[in-house]
């Protein structure tokens, strides 16, 4: 009997042929309605779910999938996957850590350059037949702080250090003894020590509003915030207030709380650059992401170790 994959994601459709080429049957369910219908109609046959962090998979959905053996999450984040429920049911979970790291890092530097150098504002000014020259800070030799030093964080740090001669500091739950960068014990200390603060950490309860008004105050009036992690990591109202008051100089945002809805308070500010959660999107990243899913599934169904397993809580 072939394996049946419930595909909840909508961003890698053009690369799903990699799964089909290996004989997997795909059931596409990118909306809430199609997701519920697919589980109700095909639940007894589905043994794989392909999802992403914000879409997740709930306990009641797992209960409706008696053959489910593995959940594959594209991207590094997995905040809405019920890991405890998966553990209780003996379901394996993998993520896509590292598959799109280069793409996300490229976009991070693009956001940083656009925000600090005022590129969108300058472009809009020229289109209005204006010729206004504003002195904007440079990036070279500045201090970069990164919250989260996984594959994405390391790729960002490498670009900043080697490409722009920046000094790099970071914060993670535990220091990395193999890292050449400076460890800071908490986010507040990190923010106070850098010019640019980049958020590359997963979402979830453990990081919700990690960046609050006090962290933004520590970053200061010459500091810039870049978020390519998860919108929930930042207290949005505190950020709007800080940007409007000049508490920080600017922000570049690819992720938002409650996306795709973006607060009007952000849209009216001139010192913020926004993109619609596309940092990890490129043809190369999509193909690498789906290939990692294929590789994990091939390992799982052949009894070999998974390539990117998540550590699950103890079953209870």
């Amino acid at each position: 009997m072939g394996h049946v994959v419930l595909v909840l994601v909508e961003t890698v459709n053009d690369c799903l042929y990699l799964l089909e080429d290996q004989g997997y049957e795909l059931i596409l369910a990118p909306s809430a309605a199609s997701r519920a219908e697919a589980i109700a109609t095909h639940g007894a046959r589905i043994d794989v779910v392909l999802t992403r962090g914000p879409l997740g998979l709930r306990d009641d959905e797992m209960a409706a999938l008696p053959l489910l053996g593995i959940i594959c999450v594209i991207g590094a984040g997995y905040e809405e996957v019920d890991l405890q429920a998966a553990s209780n049911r003996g379901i394996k979970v993998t993520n896509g850590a590292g598959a799109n790291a280069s793409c996300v890092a490229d976009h991070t530097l693009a956001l940083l350059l656009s925000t600090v150098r005022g590129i969108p504002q300058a472009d809009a000014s020229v289109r209005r037949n204006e010729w206004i020259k504003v002195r904007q800070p440079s990036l070279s030799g500045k201090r970069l702080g990164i919250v989260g030093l996984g594959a994405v964080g390391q790729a960002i740090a490498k670009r900043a250090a080697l490409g722009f001669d920046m000094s790099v500091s970071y914060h993670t739950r535990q220091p990395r003894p193999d890292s050449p960068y400076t460890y800071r014990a908490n986010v507040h200390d990190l923010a106070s020590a850098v010019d640019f603060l980049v958020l590359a950490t997963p979402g979830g309860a453990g990081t919700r509003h990690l960046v609050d008004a006090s962290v933004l105050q520590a970053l200061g009036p010459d500091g810039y915030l870049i978020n390519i992690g998860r919108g929930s990591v930042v207290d949005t109202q505190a950020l709007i207030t800080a940007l409007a008051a000049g508490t920080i100089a600017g922000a570049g945002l690819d992720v938002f709380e409650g996306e795709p809805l973006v607060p009007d308070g952000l849209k009216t500010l001139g010192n913020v650059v926004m993109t619609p959660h596309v940092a990890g999107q490129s043809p190369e990243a999509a193909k690498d992401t789906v290939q990692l899913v294929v590789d994990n599934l091939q390992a799982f169904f052949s009894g070999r170790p998974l390539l990117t397993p998540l550590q699950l809580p103890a079953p209870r």
Side-chain angles (χ1 to χ4, degrees):
M1 183 178 69
H3 299 293
V4 181
V5 183
L6 175 62
V7 181
L8 304 180
V9 300
E10 72 291 349
T11 55
V12 293
N13 283 4
D14 55 341
C15 295
L16 293 178
Y17 70 88
L18 294 169
L19 283 161
E20 292 176 313
D21 287 350
Q22 296 298 321
Y24 294 97
E25 178 186 344
L26 307 184
I27 299 173
L28 305 185
S31 68
S34 62
R35 173 174 175 160
E37 181 182 2
I39 291 174
T41 304
H42 304 285
R45 299 193 302 120
I46 293 167
D47 55 354
V48 179
V49 170
L50 179 58
T51 187
R52 59 185 178 89
L55 297 175
L57 195 69
R58 305 188 306 271
D59 183 19
D60 63 298
E61 293 174 317
M62 296 181 206
L65 305 173
L67 296 183
L68 182 61
I70 184 169
I71 301 165
C72 295
V73 186
I74 66 170
Y78 45 87
E79 62 271 23
E80 294 301 325
V81 177
D82 191 331
L83 298 184
Q84 185 64 64
S87 176
N88 295 346
R89 300 176 186 281
I91 299 168
K92 303 296 184 183
V93 184
T94 68
N95 71 347
N100 63 358
S102 291
C103 184
V104 176
D106 290 351
H107 193 87
T108 302
L109 269 295
L111 264 181
L112 182 60
L113 282 163
S114 295
T115 304
V116 175
R117 296 294 297 169
I119 303 299
Q121 296 85 346
D123 176 84
S125 175
V126 172
R127 292 172 189 273
R128 293 192 300 264
N129 296 316
E130 299 170 350
W131 198 253
I132 301 172
K133 298 186 178 183
V134 180
R135 289 182 178 173
Q136 298 288 116
S138 63
L139 270 63
S140 297
K142 294 294 176 63
R143 303 165 299 167
L144 181 77
I146 305 175
V147 181
L149 203 66
V152 169
Q154 291 180 66
I156 294 167
K158 180 179 179 180
R159 285 157 173 74
L162 300 182
F164 292 91
D165 196 28
M166 293 188 198
S167 62
V168 177
S169 303
Y170 72 97
H171 170 72
T172 56
R173 283 176 290 186
Q174 297 292 333
R176 300 187 58 141
D178 59 334
S179 173
Y181 310 117
T182 302
Y183 175 74
R184 301 288 179 177
N186 58 66
V187 176
H188 192 279
D189 288 351
L190 180 65
S192 66
V194 300
D195 303 297
F196 313 132
L197 182 64
V198 174
L199 308 180
T201 188
T207 59
R208 184 177 184 276
H209 290 186
L210 188 64
V211 174
D212 57 13
S214 67
V215 171
L216 296 171
Q217 186 76 36
L219 184 56
D222 296 322
Y224 292 81
L225 177 74
I226 306 296
N227 189 5
I228 48 79
R230 286 290 186 265
S232 60
V233 177
V234 179
D235 182 334
T236 302
Q237 190 52 57
L239 176 61
I240 292 172
T241 299
L243 287 166
T247 303
I248 64 173
L253 309 173
D254 185 56
V255 290
F256 306 86
E257 287 189 287
E259 61 183 55
L261 300 178
V262 177
D264 290 338
L266 284 173
K267 297 176 186 176
T268 58
L269 292 168
N271 55 346
V272 59
V273 176
M274 298 177 285
T275 54
H277 203 155
V278 293
Q281 298 297 313
S282 73
E284 299 87 352
K287 187 173 182 180
D288 290 346
T289 294
V290 178
Q291 186 60 56
L292 181 57
V293 171
V294 171
D295 294 343
N296 269 310
L297 291 181
Q298 300 296 69
F300 176 73
F301 288 116
S302 64
R304 292 182 282 111
L306 298 171
L307 280 74
T308 55
L310 293 181
Q311 183 175 354
L312 302 183
R316 63 188 187 199

